[in-house]
Amino acid sequence: MREWKQIREFKEILFEEYNGIAKITINRPRYRNAFTTKTTY
């Protein structure tokens, strides 16, 4: 099982890393993960 480590904290994005690989996840399930201007900055 991989244990992803949070790299930086954002309000609408999960930014995690494992073994040199970054994973970016949009975290807005209430709005079906729709992008906003906050999401892209």
Side-chain angles (χ1 to χ4, degrees), residues 11-12 26-36 39:
K11 190 171 185 174
E12 298 179 349
I26 300 169
N27 191 26
R28 298 186 73 226
R30 182 176 176 195
Y31 301 103
R32 298 182 186 221
N33 296 328
F35 280 81
T36 66
T39 308

Side-chain angles (χ1 to χ4, degrees), residues 2 4 8 12-13 16-17 20 25 29-30 32-34 39:
R2 294 182 182 124
W4 293 89
R8 189 169 169 197
E12 298 179 349
I13 294 175
E16 302 169 308
E17 181 265 340
T25 307
R30 182 176 176 195
R32 298 182 186 221
N33 296 328
T39 308

Side-chain angles (χ1 to χ4, degrees), residues 8-24:
R8 189 169 169 197
E9 190 171 335
F10 294 96
K11 190 171 185 174
E12 298 179 349
I13 294 175
L14 301 176
F15 187 36
E16 302 169 308
E17 181 265 340
Y18 170 76
N19 200 23
I21 300 170
K23 176 172 73 168
I24 301 169

